[in-house]
Amino acid sequence: MDPGLLAMLIAKARAAQAHAYAPASRFAVGAALLGVDGRVFAGCNVENASFGLTLCAERNALGTAVAEGVRAFHALVVVTPVVEPAYPCGACRQVLAEFAPKLPLFLVGRDDRIVRSTVEQLLPHAFRFEYSGT
Ligand code: THU
């Protein structure tokens, strides 16, 4: 990916991270999803007093994109507040695989350490509608 484009996506993810609502974990996550049309959709985690209702940054970004009519993506940047970048949770991997199984991932740590991966690498054999005949 073009370094300028990646820097822009990291900045957007960090801006969303600054809005994370994480009173329980204090673990603020930001995501920036680049649509094939060039638009960027950001998301942050939103926790809840009923812990299981917490929304992850990645799925929030994806939901916003879908609501804006975008379902195909070039890349996802996820920023986490740790030196060694954290990987997306299993639920986010499955939801991302629905739209973009080969999506390139850029996982970014606190000091801009970047780990590259793809949804397929993190979740081979994701469950698909075809398996259930739908
Ligand atoms: N979190 C995300 O936003 N994305 C992930 O992929 C993993 C975890 C959030 C959920 C919760 O608010 C906090 O990080 C700690 O688990």
Side-chain angles (χ1 to χ4, degrees):
M1 142 137 24
D2 170 72
L5 181 57
L6 181 57
M8 182 274 284
L9 291 171
I10 292 172
K12 297 248 185 206
R14 286 208 194 289
Q17 183 186 32
H19 295 298
Y21 178 67
S25 71
R26 302 273 169 210
F27 191 84
V29 184
L33 186 56
L34 177 63
V36 290
D37 64 348
R39 293 165 69 195
V40 180
F41 304 93
C44 64
N45 52 331
V46 181
E47 296 184 347
N48 191 272
S50 179
F51 291 160
L53 300 183
T54 290
L55 304 170
C56 286
E58 298 92 322
R59 276 177 286 163
N60 273 339
L62 181 68
T64 300
V66 172
E68 295 278 333
V70 179
R71 296 180 180 177
F73 307 101
H74 279 321
L76 173 67
V77 167
V78 182
V79 295
T80 45
V82 280
V83 173
E84 193 61 36
Y87 285 81
C89 78
C92 286
R93 296 176 196 194
Q94 175 66 33
V95 172
L96 290 166
E98 180 76 24
F99 294 94
K102 297 185 188 306
L103 186 68
L105 303 175
F106 296 83
L107 312 173
V108 184
R110 198 176 54 207
D111 305 325
D112 275 346
R113 176 164 150 59
I114 299 174
V115 171
R116 288 199 56 162
S117 189
T118 68
V119 168
E120 197 169 48
Q121 266 173 9
L122 299 186
L123 186 66
H125 311 292
F127 193 78
R128 304 202 317 264
F129 273 122
E130 296 89 80
Y131 293 141
S132 58
T134 44

